[in-house]
Amino acid sequence: MKKLLSIVVPCFNEEPALKSFYEVVDKVSREMLELDFEFVFVDDGSRDGTLKEIEKLREGDKRVKFVSFSRNFGKEAALLAGLDYANGDYVATMDADLQDPPALLPEMYEAIKDGEYDCVATRRVTREGEPPIRSFFARIFYRLINKMSKIEMVDGARDYRLMTRQMVDAIISMREYNRYSKGLFSFVGFKTKWIEFQNVQRVAGETHWSFWKLFVYAIDGICAFSTVPLVIAAVLGLIFCMLAFILIVVIIVKTLLYGDPVGGWPSTICVILMVGGIQLLALGIIGEYLAKTYLETKHRPIYIIKSTEKDK
Ligand code: UDP
Ligand code: MG
């Protein structure tokens, strides 16, 4: 019997891109004769005609399945839902905008099919067409998070992967609320082969990531896979305690030797401001972790499904 490959596609307002996406992947699927294909589109609460477009594809091709959310839950939730819903012996996750070239699929499958690798991941080696400031901060982020976390995050890694069933099961067994896929993929281990490609522009529509969203996502990533910021807060506290201790000794000695002329008001204010600032920073860091813990303990569902192809 042929093995089944599931293509998991998170879609948020992707109406203009979906048709060309389907056509390109469909063409690839006809070249990969060893495999049966299924498409799992996850409509992440799109406000345009994405769902209609998916239903249209379903009418023409019964290999198309979909999950539609009750609202926008974000790409991470959409990816999880897709992985939950996919039945394949192999599962590939890719974006709907053709920024993850489907033409790589045969090459990826070659690497995984004899069981030498459990996962084939892709990274883009260029960031062409991206605002330079965004690339700059991305690079800083990867350098930071790799210093702070034992889990390795690859710069330029896409969420475009082909995985075995075993690895998919490992991923979906992790039901954490604050999902940071790049970290989760790395956390589960397994043998991963990396394939590199040049950056591709999206075919239609526009990116959903504003600078602010990416910034928040970066903080989420760091909190999810590192507790080093907490250590930094503690170390800052320690340094300031030591400084204070030294200063106290110096002042006592100075007062004993030279008496106590009044003065130093501006410097006192500066010290108060700085120490206050550092306290707030440390509190903020702790608060960030506490907030994440709070959300996790609520055990809210990561996504809520409104409909699937079975409802039709
Ligand atoms: N996406 C999603 N939910 C969101 C935002 C994005 O499912 O809230 C999907 C989107 O439809 C696309 C993929 O995630 O298939 C990547 O989004 P995008 O292309 O905007 O990101 P970029 O490639 O610019 O990083
Ligand atoms: Mg994209």
Side-chain angles (χ1 to χ4, degrees):
M1 227 182 71
K2 281 196 201 174
K3 297 250 166 134
L4 180 66
L5 168 63
S6 308
I7 307 280
V8 167
V9 196
C11 312
F12 177 54
N13 296 344
E14 295 287 4
E15 183 183 2
L18 266 182
K19 195 157 181 285
S20 29
F21 172 83
Y22 170 79
E23 278 164 7
V24 176
V25 181
D26 179 50
K27 196 165 153 264
V28 174
S29 80
R30 292 182 198 288
E31 285 157 16
M32 296 175 72
L33 299 169
E34 279 172 63
L35 291 172
D36 281 328
F37 270 64
E38 77 173 359
F39 293 81
V40 180
F41 289 102
V42 182
D43 165 33
D44 184 11
S46 301
R47 278 168 229 121
D48 63 356
T50 300
L51 183 58
K52 276 218 185 71
E53 197 63 40
I54 298 173
E55 282 169 347
K56 232 192 277 166
L57 294 176
R58 161 89 185 163
E59 270 162 34
D61 184 348
K62 289 292 168 230
R63 296 176 303 169
V64 174
K65 308 199 304 182
F66 66 86
V67 176
S68 180
F69 287 176
S70 58
R71 66 167 169 86
N72 179 248
F73 280 87
K75 182 179 178 188
E76 296 293 344
L79 267 180
L80 176 69
L83 294 179
D84 281 341
Y85 205 63
N87 288 322
D89 302 295
Y90 300 102
V91 178
T93 52
M94 56 204 298
D95 288 2
D97 55 10
L98 286 176
Q99 275 191 304
D100 301 328
L104 288 179
L105 277 175
E107 185 188 342
M108 291 162 82
Y109 177 62
E110 276 309 307
I112 210 176
K113 74 171 181 194
D114 345 296
E116 197 196 336
Y117 291 97
D118 307 284
C119 172
V120 182
T122 59
R123 66 183 280 259
R124 41 180 190 172
V125 280
T126 50
R127 285 175 168 275
E128 248 160 70
E130 198 183 62
I133 182 101
R134 193 167 144 174
S135 312
F136 173 73
F137 279 107
R139 225 166 288 134
I140 290 187
F141 165 72
Y142 281 106
R143 209 173 293 163
L144 262 181
I145 196 163
N146 280 319
K147 284 239 165 70
M148 285 201 245
S149 164
K150 286 199 197 90
I151 301 292
E152 199 206 340
M153 318 261 176
V154 179
D155 187 2
R158 307 267 320 161
D159 289 337
Y160 180 23
R161 291 180 172 251
L162 180 63
M163 292 169 277
T164 58
R165 171 52 42 192
Q166 200 186 14
M167 178 152 169
V168 173
D169 286 341
I171 299 275
I172 59 184
S173 72
M174 288 185 284
R175 308 307 290 186
E176 59 201 80
Y177 186 81
N178 299 292
R179 301 187 76 79
Y180 186 74
S181 284
K182 284 189 179 78
L184 295 177
F185 286 139
S186 180
F187 179 87
V188 294
F190 294 106
K191 217 170 151 198
T192 302
K193 177 178 176 160
W194 288 91
I195 291 186
E196 297 184 342
F197 69 91
Q198 304 286 322
N199 195 23
V200 188
Q201 305 279 336
R202 77 179 2 264
V203 275
E206 55 193 64
T207 177
H208 304 97
W209 294 92
S210 61
F211 192 80
W212 176 246
K213 256 182 151 179
L214 276 174
F215 179 74
V216 172
Y217 188 58
I219 301 277
D220 282 351
I222 291 176
C223 284
F225 284 94
S226 167
T227 47
V228 170
L230 289 172
V231 178
I232 294 177
V235 168
L236 276 179
L238 207 70
I239 291 176
F240 273 80
C241 278
M242 269 159 30
L243 272 180
F245 182 75
I246 295 169
L247 266 178
I248 289 170
V249 173
V250 169
I251 286 171
I252 290 178
V253 171
K254 246 177 107 179
T255 315
L256 288 178
L257 288 182
Y258 306 108
D260 183 21
V262 180
W265 184 81
S267 56
T268 311
I269 293 298
C270 289
V271 170
I272 288 177
L273 278 182
M274 184 162 86
V275 173
I278 287 173
Q279 278 174 347
L280 280 182
L281 176 73
L283 260 184
I285 293 173
I286 297 168
E288 193 62 25
Y289 282 91
L290 185 64
K292 302 276 181 233
T293 316
Y294 175 58
L295 287 174
E296 293 292 351
T297 53
K298 287 192 195 192
H299 295 294
R300 285 187 179 159
I302 299 164
Y303 55 84
I304 294 170
I305 294 178
K306 181 160 179 257
S307 66
T308 71
E309 84 282 348
K310 289 176 192 141
D311 303 327
K312 299 290 153 191

